[in-house]
Amino acid sequence: MSNPGLVVSALVLVTIALLAAFAPWIVPHDPYAQALDARMLPPAFVDPERADPAHLLGTDNLGRDYLSRLIYGARISLLIGFFTMLVSGTIGTALGIAAGYFGGRTDSVVSFLITTRLSLPVVMVALAVVAVLGGSLEVVVLVLGLLLWDRFAVVMRSATMQVRGREYVTAARAIGCSVPRILWSEVLPNVVSGLVVIASYEMAQAILLEAALSFLGLGVQPPLPSWGLMVSEAKELMLFEPWMIMLPGAAICILVLAINLLGDGIRDATAPEGRA
C-alpha cells in the first residue's frame, strides 16, 4: 500500500462515524441517565477493585456512563465539524473562485474581505457572538462557519488563477460555454485537490474550536455529551480522577488527527504528481 496513513485514518474515521451513526443502538446505557450512587466509578484499567463491569469506561460525577457519553459526543463533534466545513467551504470557495477567475475589482473586493476576516481573532469573536446569542449546536455551527472561510478563499483564489489561462478553459470560452459552466466543469474539478486538504483542516479546526467553546461554557450546553464539555466538567477532578479528562481529550486528538491524515492522503492520491 503506497499510503498506509490514508488507509489507517480512513478506517479510524469510518469507525468513529459508524459508532456515532448507530449510537442509539450500541451504547450500553442512556448517556443522560444519572445514578448518584454510582458516581465517578473508574475504568477497569485504572482501578480494577472499584470498577464496575457494567460501565467499561467508568462514570462521571453524576453517575452517567462515560462510554455512552463518549460515543454520543462523537455525533456532536462530527456534526459540528461537517456542517461548519460545509458552510465555510461554500462561502470561501465561491469567493475564491470568483476572485481568481474574474480578477480586477472582484479580486480587490474579495481580497479586502479576506484581509478584514484575517484581522479578526476567531476565538475572541466566536466567544463574543456565542455569549450574546447563547450557546447551542446551531449557533456554534453558524458562527464557526462564518469565521473559517478565509483559507478556502485564499487557496481557491490562487488555484483558480493558475488554471484560468489553461488551454481547456480557453477552449471552453472559444466554443461559447457560459461562465457558470466553465467554473463548474473546467475550473472546479482542477482545483479540487487543494479544496480537499483545506476542507479536512477546517473540519478539524471546527471540532477543536467547538471543544474549546464548550470547555468555556459557551458552546454546546449540558446535558448534551460534547467532548469539550466533558473535559470542562472533569477539570476540577483532574488531580484525583485524571482519566475523566484523558478519555475525551484522547478522543478529540484521535478524531482530529484522523481527519487531517485523511485529507493529506486524499490530496496525495488526487494530485497529478501523486498518481501512479
Side-chain angles (χ1 to χ4, degrees), residues 114-266:
I114 294 173
T115 303
T116 303
R117 159 56 202 91
L118 290 174
S119 67
L120 300 174
V122 174
V123 176
M124 296 303 295
V125 174
L127 285 173
V129 175
V130 173
V132 172
L133 299 180
S136 69
L137 195 63
E138 296 78 8
V139 170
V140 171
V141 168
L142 183 60
V143 170
L144 295 181
L146 294 175
L147 287 174
L148 298 179
W149 55 266
D150 52 284
R151 289 187 181 88
F152 284 101
V154 171
V155 172
M156 290 298 100
R157 174 180 175 272
S158 176
T160 303
M161 285 181 172
Q162 295 176 14
V163 305
R164 69 180 180 184
R166 298 286 177 86
E167 294 81 2
Y168 47 83
V169 177
T170 304
R173 290 198 201 98
I175 63 176
C177 292
S178 63
V179 171
R181 181 173 179 179
I182 293 174
L183 296 178
W184 181 260
S185 302
E186 305 297 337
V187 174
L188 186 59
N190 290 283
V191 299
V192 72
S193 61
L195 183 62
V196 168
V197 178
I198 299 302
S200 64
Y201 176 84
E202 294 299 348
M203 183 173 178
Q205 181 79 349
I207 291 172
L208 288 175
L209 287 172
E210 179 276 325
L213 290 173
S214 296
F215 178 82
L216 296 172
L218 294 173
V220 176
Q221 297 298 301
L224 288 177
S226 162
W227 288 343
L229 187 59
M230 292 173 70
V231 173
S232 177
E233 292 172 344
K235 65 180 182 293
E236 296 179 356
L237 302 168
M238 63 182 300
L239 297 179
F240 308 100
E241 304 289 351
W243 58 269
M244 295 184 68
I245 283 183
M246 292 171 60
L247 290 177
I252 295 171
C253 179
I254 292 171
L255 179 57
V256 169
L257 182 61
I259 292 172
N260 282 327
L261 289 177
L262 182 66
D264 289 342
I266 293 176

Side-chain angles (χ1 to χ4, degrees), residues 39-53:
R39 297 172 63 245
M40 290 184 291
L41 293 175
F45 64 84
V46 174
D47 189 347
E49 295 182 359
R50 292 175 52 209
D52 184 349

